[in-house]
Amino acid sequence: TTHHPPPTTNRNLSTATQDPCAFVRLISLGALNAETNAQLSSEIASLSSAEYQVPANRLYIEFVGGY
């Protein structure tokens, strides 16, 4: 498995807490759909939690596609 740098982190993602949080932007060349997005979300959340201690409820994923 290739490890990438941690996602951009910000200590205050939409709430006044100091809990870790992250924003992930996933850019695709047209392969995104509801089923794929759900699977990718789950995998990204697992990686975020295991590698960076950012829980799924403190993770925002933006899916961008159609390029």
Side-chain angles (χ1 to χ4, degrees), residues 6-20:
T8 301
T9 57
N10 177 338
R11 291 301 212 186
N12 188 8
L13 185 70
S14 76
T15 63
T17 179
Q18 293 296 307
D19 296 338

Side-chain angles (χ1 to χ4, degrees), residues 19-64:
D19 296 338
C21 58
F23 173 87
V24 176
R25 178 176 292 138
L26 189 134
I27 301 172
S28 174
L29 297 175
L32 297 178
N33 59 53
E35 184 178 328
T36 300
N37 291 4
Q39 183 170 351
L40 288 170
S41 293
S42 178
E43 292 175 18
I44 292 168
S46 292
L47 178 66
S48 172
S49 178
E51 296 290 325
Y52 308 113
Q53 293 73 51
V54 176
N57 68 336
R58 300 284 298 156
L59 176 65
Y60 181 85
I61 304 172
E62 176 183 26
F63 290 92
V64 180

